[in-house]
Amino acid sequence: EVQLVESGGDLVQPGGSLRLSCAASGFTFSDHHMDWVRQAPGKGLEWVARVRTKVRSYSTEYAASVKDRFTVSRDDSKNSLYLQMNSLKTEDTGLYFCARDNNKYSHDYWGQGTLVTVSS
Amino acid sequence: IQLTQSPSSLSASVGDRVTITCRASQGINNYLAWYQQKPGKAPKLLIYFASTLQSGVPSRFSGSGSGTDFTLSISSLQPEDFATYYCKQLNGYPITFGQGTRLEIK
């Protein structure tokens, strides 16, 4: 069974840092591009970042709103995805999901999300 | 690439047929997916490549369209279908979602 389990969400002050993790199981993690998607309270879905597979040199993409502040990475030996978030802003508050790209231009498995709250 | 969904909200009854549209600001080569999300839950993939039904999704869901205009249809609403629906494009970066369509019980 495919499972994605996020962790690391917390309450943090503006300007602070946080590292999210996503533990994957039930599939060959190294074969899939992986993404972070977030959802502010009561709002829609917003794509945050992507890390591609080793075949694609672990290349990354970012939303403009997080570029130069967030860093996405992966450790295929640990079947894990990460999101390092620096210089956090109040508008970064939300539920952060990790999602698996199914190699068909869509996300077929999602975690349950981890809550990040940026507030003083 | 901006995606504009319409309507933003919709009231319907069990058994109704409903259609949600998603318009892209430029062509997206049919790299469009539809998701269903219920409160407090992760999104669920319904349709990919604009019209391919994800495994395990009921056949009352269907997708169509090409280029810039796409639709999600539900042929006969069931109680479990009342949720928020999002389209999403993966033709280029940034990956973008529509603003969502909230489907409510009339």
Side-chain angles (χ1 to χ4, degrees), chain B residues 1-37:
Chain B
I1 299 172
Q2 291 186 335
L3 298 179
T4 303
Q5 283 182 237
S6 62
S8 296
S9 64
L10 176 60
S11 293
S13 301
V14 172
D16 284 353
R17 176 182 178 87
V18 298
T19 298
I20 299 168
T21 65
C22 179
R23 174 164 288 177
S25 58
Q26 63 188 72
I28 55 173
N29 292 309
N30 291 3
Y31 294 146
L32 184 106
W34 290 96
Y35 297 86
Q36 176 195 68
Q37 188 182 32

Side-chain angles (χ1 to χ4, degrees), chain A residues 35 37 39 43-47 50 52 61-64 97 101-108 110-112, chain B residues 31-33 35 37 40-45 47-49 54 86 88 90-91 93-99:
Chain A
D35 292 83
V37 175
Q39 188 167 36
K43 302 297 184 181
L45 299 168
E46 179 189 17
W47 171 79
R50 161 165 288 206
R52 297 185 179 90
E61 305 283 350
Y62 296 93
F97 298 100
D101 183 301
N102 63 353
N103 301 325
K104 298 175 183 177
Y105 296 86
S106 52
H107 297 100
D108 59 348
W110 298 64
Q112 83 290 347
Chain B
Y31 294 146
L32 184 106
Y35 297 86
Q37 188 182 32
K41 299 294 186 180
K44 174 186 176 182
L45 176 64
I47 302 283
Y48 60 94
F49 285 152
Q54 170 69 356
Y86 295 92
K88 184 206 73 185
L90 220 166
N91 182 66
Y93 293 93
I95 296 170
T96 48
F97 289 87
Q99 81 277 16

